[in-house]
Amino acid sequence: MPPMERVAVVGVPMDLGAGRRGVDMGPSALRYARLLEELEALGYLVEDLGDVRVPVAETLRGRKGPYLEEIRQAALDLKERLRALPEGVFPIVLGGDHSLSMGSVSGVAKGRLGVIWVDAHADFNTPETSPSGNIHGMPLAVLSGLGYTRLTEVFQAVDPRDVVLIGVRSLDPGERRLLREMGVRVYTMHEVDRLGIARIAEEALAYLAGLPLHVSLDADVLDPTLAPGVGTPVPGGLTYREAHLLMEILAQTGRVRSLDLVEVNPILDERNRTAEMMVGLALSLLGKRIL
């Protein structure tokens, strides 16, 4: 279990960075899947801080993406909320599309920080490399100092060499080049199949030795047969046990200080399965064990 006893939950009901609508309902789905009650059953003192205000796309009529200023403001509000948390509180951010992680990572980075980004996608596009222009495909690049100046000037927070990507299986050509150039450590599903998730987790922890850790968990890293409620499903993802084992190994270090649960889309889900799966993974990361 992490050394903290208190957990603060913040929702970011945002789908402005995504190509498909619906992930703005992710925070509600995760709460409905009993995240807070299950954390309390593990012995944590849990406070729900409510949601960051995010405009609904329909109120921005006559405009089309990338909704840069609205996303910037929501992520900035999140950053400021996390900065204001007392020392020793473990924040869990509920999404919402992955662009919110610009605010969560920069909000918890109080010095050098290791980031473990568990995702089918690298989210390392820039406006020049992105085929879609969707900002939820850019947050890790922004955090590393690449992309829109309006975003990097407030959210750049990590050295890309302190980032480990796990579970990747869909990359755009420009992302491949940038990941290599910036020195990001990437474990694709090829490495997961070849090496096994336990070895990858141990290598990632050794690579980030001595650093506090932020885990950003995108629901689409899971195989879509397990987690259908995502906007950008990619076949061949992590299995149930691989995902739990990864969380359990990370938990055992006591170094994880914060967590994102993002890209849950209830519109595309089946009886809230995806949200329930994400809650189960969060519990594993915060210390729940089989025995």
Side-chain angles (χ1 to χ4, degrees), residues 4 108-116 158 162 205 208-215 253-258:
M4 297 89 150
V108 300
K110 297 172 181 176
R112 197 173 161 203
L113 178 72
V115 175
I116 298 182
V158 298
D162 290 336
L205 289 166
L208 299 171
L211 297 180
L213 301 175
H214 174 87
V215 175
T253 68
R255 290 164 50 197
V256 180
R257 296 288 182 270
S258 45

Side-chain angles (χ1 to χ4, degrees), residues 12-282:
V12 186
M14 179 162 66
D15 65 0
L16 299 176
R20 292 178 86 167
R21 303 298 308 281
V23 290
D24 57 325
M25 292 182 278
S28 294
L30 290 159
R31 290 183 174 105
Y32 185 73
R34 297 180 52 81
L35 173 65
L36 280 72
E37 295 88 343
E38 294 289 348
L39 288 168
E40 287 170 346
L42 280 181
Y44 289 97
L45 298 171
V46 183
E47 183 179 7
D48 192 334
L49 302 178
D51 290 345
V52 170
R53 284 193 64 183
V54 183
V56 178
E58 282 78 7
T59 66
L60 306 172
R61 285 186 180 178
R63 292 194 37 212
K64 294 186 178 178
Y67 301 120
L68 180 68
E69 292 303 319
E70 291 81 4
I71 292 168
R72 182 185 191 270
Q73 188 58 53
L76 202 52
D77 290 350
L78 174 62
K79 176 181 177 177
E80 290 168 358
R81 283 207 200 190
L82 297 184
R83 281 280 167 96
L85 289 176
E87 198 69 34
V89 175
F90 188 106
I92 300 179
V93 181
L94 311 180
D97 72 65
H98 218 154
S99 57
L100 67 84
S101 295
M102 297 184 297
S104 61
V105 175
S106 61
V108 300
K110 297 172 181 176
R112 197 173 161 203
L113 178 72
V115 175
I116 298 182
W117 199 273
V118 190
D119 197 331
H121 309 86
D123 297 342
F124 214 76
N125 270 306
T126 66
E128 292 73 35
T129 66
S130 172
S132 68
N134 293 330
I135 292 178
H136 77 154
M138 303 181 188
L140 191 52
V142 168
L143 288 162
S144 301
L146 301 174
Y148 289 111
T149 305
R150 286 287 290 163
L151 300 179
T152 57
E153 66 187 4
V154 286
F155 300 124
Q156 181 177 358
V158 298
D159 184 330
R161 292 165 297 184
D162 290 336
V163 174
V164 177
L165 276 157
I166 298 176
V168 174
R169 55 194 186 276
S170 177
L171 290 172
D172 295 313
E175 278 185 303
R176 290 192 184 94
R177 177 179 56 78
L178 288 174
L179 289 164
R180 291 193 190 100
E181 287 178 1
M182 300 297 283
V184 179
R185 177 69 65 96
V186 182
Y187 291 97
T188 69
M189 285 306 299
H190 173 80
E191 280 79 39
V192 172
D193 292 340
R194 192 164 57 86
L195 303 176
I197 200 68
R199 178 172 160 188
I200 286 172
E202 287 156 5
E203 285 187 6
L205 289 166
Y207 177 72
L208 299 171
L211 297 180
L213 301 175
H214 174 87
V215 175
S216 197
L217 180 61
D218 188 316
D220 70 22
V221 77
L222 300 164
D223 194 84
T225 58
L226 294 172
V230 297
T232 48
V234 185
L238 294 182
T239 68
Y240 178 88
R241 274 309 314 155
E242 284 172 335
H244 275 284
L245 181 58
L246 175 59
M247 296 299 114
E248 289 159 0
I249 292 171
L250 295 177
Q252 287 167 5
T253 68
R255 290 164 50 197
V256 180
R257 296 288 182 270
S258 45
L259 171 66
D260 303 325
L261 301 173
V262 303
E263 298 283 355
V264 174
N265 191 330
I267 290 176
L268 303 172
D269 207 5
E270 300 167 2
R271 300 183 181 181
N272 218 30
R273 278 173 58 193
T274 303
E276 289 175 358
M277 181 81 177
M278 293 288 275
V279 167
L281 294 174

